[in-house]
Amino acid sequence: MNSTMVTLLVSFVILWWSRKSLFHPSSHGFPRFFAFEAILILVVVNAPHWFSNPLGIRQIISWLLLIISIFLVIWGVALLRYHGGSRPTTGKAAEFEWENTNRLVTTGIYHYIRHPMYSSLLFLAWGGCLKSVSLVTLFLAAVATIALFLTARVEEVEDIARFGEEYRNYMEKTWRFVPFFF
């Protein structure tokens, strides 16, 4: 299967998964769709370069970012599932039961950053970009970054509506994506 077919197939899956969000542009899933698409295209474009010059500094940094990405998503999802509880989804937006928590999670990685899964996607995007840097890959990583920033902003508004002052206080104590940086 060639890269175009893979891109179309995975893009269709992302489109299906995001279909509710695309009809609700004010939901956090709307900009998240564009982040997923940009990251997909970035990974496919750079696929031939993933193992080029494996001991080069750019490749080592790339692999470090990709490993951090995996770590963040696993830890973040595990904490949400274990500590967050869940409530039924409303069906109106891109909420899945595991992300629709009834308790604010502030332990583990959530003690330092509010959006470890979006951080994971940022690390994935920039790790993928470093595999072979070009104007196209920089553009795609930038699109993913902007989309993830917008996703987090919208989700923070949703979380303030859900958790109120508790979430506002939490925002003051944590970083959005990268501890001690951003």
Side-chain angles (χ1 to χ4, degrees), residues 40-55:
L40 168 64
I41 296 167
L42 177 62
V43 168
V44 170
V45 164
N46 269 352
H49 307 285
W50 276 63
F51 299 101
S52 301
N53 190 20
L55 298 178

Side-chain angles (χ1 to χ4, degrees), residues 23 28-29 43 45-46 51 53 61 69-70 85 90 101 105 140 142 144 153 175 177:
F23 291 104
H28 70 272
V43 168
V45 164
N46 269 352
F51 299 101
N53 190 20
I61 294 170
S69 173
I70 293 167
T90 62
T101 63
V105 178
L140 290 167
R153 295 275 312 259
W175 297 85
F177 297 118

Side-chain angles (χ1 to χ4, degrees), residues 59-182:
Q59 286 289 359
I60 291 170
I61 294 170
S62 171
W63 283 113
L64 179 63
L65 293 175
L66 295 171
I67 290 167
I68 292 169
S69 173
I70 293 167
F71 177 74
L72 286 172
V73 76
I74 291 170
W75 195 10
V77 169
L79 287 169
L80 279 183
R81 292 180 74 95
Y82 185 74
H83 294 291
S86 66
R87 58 187 189 169
T89 60
T90 62
K92 294 181 181 178
E95 293 180 336
F96 299 97
E97 197 167 311
W98 60 269
E99 72 176 340
N100 195 19
T101 63
N102 58 15
R103 287 185 301 275
L104 181 61
V105 178
T106 60
T107 61
I109 192 64
Y110 289 97
H111 181 75
Y112 302 99
I113 55 177
R114 296 188 295 275
H115 305 287
M117 287 171 279
Y118 300 149
S119 296
S120 172
L121 292 171
L122 278 173
F123 283 101
L124 174 61
W126 288 100
C129 177
L130 286 177
K131 293 297 179 185
S132 179
V133 179
S134 68
L135 287 177
V136 170
T137 60
L138 287 170
F139 173 76
L140 290 167
V143 166
T145 300
I146 291 166
L148 288 166
F149 178 77
L150 294 173
T151 302
R153 295 275 312 259
V154 172
E155 189 171 297
E156 287 170 351
V157 170
E158 295 169 358
D159 289 340
I160 289 170
R162 180 178 298 154
F163 298 112
E165 196 61 31
E166 182 183 13
Y167 194 80
R168 288 183 200 279
N169 292 336
Y170 174 65
M171 289 174 69
E172 291 176 10
K173 298 174 187 173
T174 57
W175 297 85
R176 184 174 276 139
F177 297 118
V178 181
F180 315 107
F181 182 67
F182 175 61

